[in-house]
Amino acid sequence: MNAEAPETTSEPASADMQRAGPGQPEAFTFTGSGSEYFRIWIVNLLLTIVTLGIYSAWAKVRRTRYFYANTRLAGSSFDYHGSPLAILRGRIVALLLFGAYNIAFRVSDAAGFAMLLVLGALIPWMLWKSLQFKLYNSSYRGIRFGFGGSAGKAYFVYLVLPVLSALSLLLLVPFTHQRIKKFQHDHSRYGATSFSFHAAPGRFYKAYLVASAVGLGGMLAIMLAFGGALAGLAEAGGLRGAGPAAVGTLILFLLVLYAWIFSFLPVFFTLLQNLIWNNTRLGEHRFESRLRAGRMIFIALTNLIGIVVTLGLFIPFAQVRTLKYRIESMSLIPSGSLDAFLADAQQQASATGEGAADLLDVDLSL
């Protein structure tokens, strides 16, 4: 397969899909491989370094097109249509803004805080435009996705709620997370068919509580297991008065603690992906996510070992392993015939307004 996956167009329904009855789950699949993606990754990395970062916009397009082209549903793949020049313009804008922020603080604290307020006012708008750009430039079977919403709602979920979360000593973080996902999913669409999000804030609080309990419980168990050795190290006056065995125990403690933190994050991501996608619908069709925390932890730890042993060269293989498992844990469960839904979506595709492309010629994602 070529290093850069070609952009594909709509494909006919597969025989498997045509045989599938109404309501039969259609599993997502990922056909890419670490060795294929390694060639894209290494070329992107080298050209980005040589061009002092300018090529990163083209690198993003090549990377995204590869992942989209290898993500399949019901016999067809997804396509990405983003322009590297649009992405480059967006990154130049972001670079200028953050450069101005750093310079402002060198001038005076007042100028720095003023620039901080400017950034705070712009970031919600930038995130909103980023969602529009990403979805409009994504398609499946020739039908583009889209994102609506409004700037006012974007400012509420990306500025007002995060500020309130900080003032609440983080007690509102799960609620804020739920509102952000609801904003993102409720205003997304495929052709003329809208997505919808149905998870209540209480489900997010439960996920955060479970993740916090697992994380803190693991750290407490590690502290108890190494408590005696750490106390002996403290009584010996620290590392200067400790012997090789005590130093080795300290190093082992730090490694175990780091490994636990690294393992805890996949547990949290598993809870979130299952929660979010099991409560998302596309019209009357729903999604199902069946990620397992144990498998995610195994992938994360083995990826970490591979990256360390290969001095970073395993990174593209690690990314493909993680993405493949996350994608292939997903299914679309149609409420009826998927063929009929896609045919109807094709007929209504023009209703999304192709003229919107003129308003989305700059990628302002951070």
Side-chain angles (χ1 to χ4, degrees):
M1 182 174 182
N2 295 331
E4 180 175 357
E7 186 173 317
T8 59
T9 56
S10 59
E11 303 175 18
S14 66
D16 289 339
M17 189 188 78
Q18 292 173 348
R19 288 194 298 268
Q24 181 171 326
E26 290 287 351
F28 287 82
T29 59
F30 185 76
T31 58
S33 68
S35 58
E36 287 179 344
Y37 180 54
F38 179 83
R39 296 195 291 271
I40 296 175
W41 178 82
I42 195 67
V43 171
N44 283 348
L45 177 63
L46 294 175
L47 290 178
T48 299
I49 293 173
V50 169
T51 60
L52 302 179
I54 294 176
Y55 187 77
S56 64
W58 281 262
K60 176 181 178 179
V61 170
R62 293 186 68 208
R63 179 178 64 251
T64 306
R65 283 180 178 170
Y66 176 77
F67 286 137
Y68 273 43
N70 284 282
T71 301
R72 304 181 68 82
L73 173 67
S76 299
S77 62
F78 293 78
D79 298 316
Y80 181 70
H81 312 277
S83 163
L85 289 176
I87 294 171
L88 182 62
R89 286 195 295 267
R91 291 185 173 179
I92 290 174
V93 170
L95 182 63
L96 291 175
L97 286 172
F98 284 104
Y101 165 75
N102 289 324
I103 294 174
F105 266 107
R106 295 183 180 181
V107 173
S108 69
D109 289 343
F113 283 113
M115 192 61 203
L116 186 62
L117 291 175
V118 171
L119 282 177
L122 287 176
I123 285 177
W125 182 83
M126 295 167 74
L127 292 173
W128 175 49
K129 300 302 290 185
S130 173
L131 286 169
Q132 289 184 326
F133 183 93
K134 180 179 180 180
L135 284 174
Y136 180 77
N137 285 290
S138 302
S139 69
Y140 174 70
R141 294 195 174 184
I143 303 172
R144 298 219 181 194
F145 292 82
F147 186 80
S150 66
K153 291 181 179 178
Y155 275 94
F156 179 72
V157 299
Y158 289 126
L159 181 60
V160 175
L161 287 180
V163 169
L164 292 177
S165 295
L167 294 177
S168 70
L169 302 178
L170 306 184
L171 293 177
L172 286 178
V173 166
F175 174 78
T176 299
H177 195 170
Q178 186 268 347
R179 302 312 294 179
I180 288 175
K181 299 313 296 184
K182 186 169 179 61
F183 170 71
Q184 293 173 345
H185 288 224
D186 279 354
H187 296 288
S188 298
R189 64 178 183 272
Y190 171 64
T193 305
S194 297
F195 288 83
S196 58
F197 189 65
H198 304 276
R203 302 287 298 276
F204 278 77
Y205 275 97
K206 181 180 178 180
Y208 272 79
L209 286 173
V210 170
S212 298
V214 171
L216 293 175
M219 293 184 69
L220 180 60
I222 293 171
M223 294 295 294
L224 291 175
F226 286 89
L230 295 176
L233 185 62
E235 292 176 359
L239 292 177
R240 291 183 179 180
V247 174
T249 300
L250 177 61
I251 293 174
L252 180 61
F253 164 74
L254 294 176
L255 289 175
V256 171
L257 185 61
Y258 179 76
W260 172 247
I261 294 173
F262 198 80
S263 301
F264 159 72
L265 292 177
V267 174
F268 187 49
F269 292 148
T270 297
L271 289 172
L272 289 180
Q273 174 168 318
N274 289 342
L275 169 62
I276 290 168
W277 284 104
N278 287 334
N279 288 278
T280 296
R281 293 194 176 190
L282 173 59
E284 296 300 319
H285 314 290
R286 63 187 181 88
F287 295 89
E288 183 179 57
S289 176
R290 303 174 307 281
L291 275 185
R292 292 184 290 114
R295 179 64 179 169
M296 283 290 288
I297 292 172
F298 173 78
I299 292 174
L301 290 179
T302 51
N303 281 347
L304 177 62
I305 293 171
I307 291 170
V308 171
V309 170
T310 62
L311 302 179
L313 293 178
F314 192 72
I315 288 174
F317 296 88
Q319 292 174 336
V320 167
R321 290 182 73 211
T322 303
L323 186 64
K324 180 178 178 65
Y325 177 61
R326 292 184 64 183
I327 288 175
E328 295 190 344
S329 297
M330 295 274 298
S331 297
L332 172 66
I333 303 178
S335 64
S337 170
L338 188 58
D339 279 324
F341 166 67
L342 292 173
D344 184 58
Q346 183 70 58
Q347 294 174 359
Q348 298 181 17
S350 60
T352 61
E354 294 299 320
D358 296 334
L359 303 176
L360 303 171
D361 61 347
V362 177
D363 179 16
L364 292 172
S365 62
L366 296 178

